[in-house]
Amino acid sequence: MSNVQLTTWLLIMYHWCLDTPVSQLREICDISMVTAIQMYQYLRDACTWKLQQNPILLGGAGPVMPNVVEIDESCFSHKPKVRTMNITGSVLMFCHVQHHRGRAPREPVWVFGMVDVSHQPALGYMQVVQQRDAATLLPIIQQHLHPGTTVHSDEWRAYNHVVHLPPVAGHRTVNHSLHFVDPATGVHTQHIESYWNRVKSKLKRMKGCHRHMLPSYLDQFMWNERYGTSHAQAFHSLKRHISQWYPLP
C-alpha cells in the first residue's frame, strides 16, 4: 500500500464512502484485489480508531424523562455460497448473514446491540460477544450508557440485574413468547429489531463478510451513523479522522 499514489488513495477513499464493491474498485483504480481489500480494511481501521477515541454513550436523563435504550442480541450466521475466492493462500468466502432461523448454524457469531430511541433513526452500539451471559453483557451495558437511562429488553435471563447497574434509572421488559408489544406497558424492542435489519441488509448487499472482519464492518456502520450520514460527509470526515490518527510531524 505504501506504493499507492495520493491521488489513488483519495479515489479509493471516495469509492469507499460510496460503498463501491472491492471487485469494482480494483478495476476503477487499477490495483490488485489484495490491495483493494487491504485498503478498505485500513479505512475501516480508521473508523475503529475514531470510535475508540470517542466511546459511544447512549441514553441519559433527558430533558423531561429518561431516554430509552433498547438492548438485544442477534445471531449473525454464516451460510457459504458456492463461489469462493482464493487470496494469498487463504479463502475469502462470500457468505449470507441473516437471522438465526431453524437449524443452528455451525459457527454462529453473536452480536450484542443497544439503540437510543431518542434519535431518528435510532443510534446504536454493537459488539461481537463470545457469550450471552450476564458476566459478558452487563459490563458492556454499563460502559455505554449515560446516567439516568431507562432500558427496555426482552426477558433474557442475562438481563435480570440490569436495573442494578449505576447508569440505569429503570428497566422494563416485554415477554416475546407472548407479545411483540406488552399490552399493559407498551414496552417493545422494535427499534433494535429494525436496527438489526438495517445492519444485516447492508452486509447482505455486500454478499456477507468473513467472520474475522465482522467487528470492523460493525465499526464502519456505527461510524457512518455519526460521521458519514451522506457520501460527502463521510468523505470529509474520513480525511479529517485519518489526519488525526496520523498527524503530520
Side-chain angles (χ1 to χ4, degrees):
M1 293 195 299
S2 60
N3 295 327
V4 178
Q5 295 182 352
L6 177 59
T7 52
T8 304
W9 257 115
L10 291 172
L11 184 60
I12 290 169
M13 292 165 60
Y14 174 76
H15 280 283
W16 181 85
C17 295
L18 296 178
D19 288 328
T20 301
V22 290
S23 57
Q24 295 180 21
L25 181 73
R26 62 180 296 193
E27 298 177 0
I28 295 170
C29 298
D30 192 23
I31 56 178
S32 70
M33 178 63 83
V34 172
T35 299
I37 292 172
Q38 290 176 341
M39 298 182 84
Y40 267 17
Q41 180 62 57
Y42 172 84
L43 299 179
R44 292 195 301 274
D45 289 344
C47 298
T48 300
W49 176 85
K50 183 60 179 179
L51 295 178
Q52 290 172 344
Q53 300 304 303
N54 295 271
I56 292 172
L57 290 172
L58 304 174
V64 178
M65 57 188 301
N67 289 333
V68 172
V69 169
E70 296 176 7
I71 61 175
D72 190 30
E73 339 84 54
S74 187
C75 183
F76 284 59
S77 58
H78 286 54
K79 289 193 173 182
K81 297 177 71 175
V82 174
R83 183 164 61 96
T84 60
M85 182 176 300
N86 189 291
I87 299 178
T88 63
S90 62
V91 174
L92 175 65
M93 193 173 297
F94 296 112
C95 309
H96 288 299
V97 182
Q98 60 184 34
H99 283 290
H100 169 33
R101 298 193 180 108
R103 184 167 56 88
R106 288 188 304 171
E107 297 182 1
V109 178
W110 285 96
V111 177
F112 174 70
M114 313 163 60
V115 296
D116 186 334
V117 306
S118 66
H119 300 270
Q120 294 296 329
L123 280 177
Y125 173 77
M126 299 173 285
Q127 181 174 329
V128 175
V129 293
Q130 299 303 314
Q131 303 291 333
R132 295 182 296 139
D133 56 8
T136 300
L137 302 186
L138 294 185
I140 300 173
I141 297 169
Q142 179 170 335
Q143 183 180 2
H144 293 282
L145 288 182
H146 283 294
T149 302
T150 292
V151 175
H152 289 181
S153 74
D154 60 20
E155 296 188 345
W156 176 240
R157 60 182 179 271
Y159 302 146
N160 288 346
H161 298 290
V162 163
V163 71
H164 301 304
L165 297 176
V168 177
H171 179 211
R172 307 173 76 185
T173 64
V174 56
N175 186 339
H176 279 162
S177 65
L178 299 177
H179 313 284
F180 288 111
V181 179
D182 189 288
T185 65
V187 172
H188 60 81
T189 58
Q190 293 179 349
H191 290 96
I192 194 162
E193 296 294 345
S194 175
Y195 191 80
W196 292 134
N197 288 335
R198 285 162 48 200
V199 176
K200 294 182 178 184
S201 292
K202 179 165 185 177
L203 291 174
K204 188 174 182 180
R205 289 194 299 271
M206 297 163 39
K207 298 182 174 62
C209 69
H210 199 282
R211 62 183 299 149
H212 80 272
M213 293 182 176
L214 179 59
S216 68
Y217 280 104
L218 299 182
D219 284 348
Q220 179 185 352
F221 189 93
M222 292 184 285
W223 182 90
N224 275 119
E225 287 185 298
R226 290 158 177 84
Y227 306 110
T229 55
S230 68
H231 299 320
Q233 184 191 32
F235 186 61
H236 291 302
S237 295
L238 188 60
K239 290 186 294 182
R240 184 172 67 255
H241 295 165
I242 290 175
S243 68
Q244 294 168 353
W245 189 16
Y246 290 104
L248 293 174

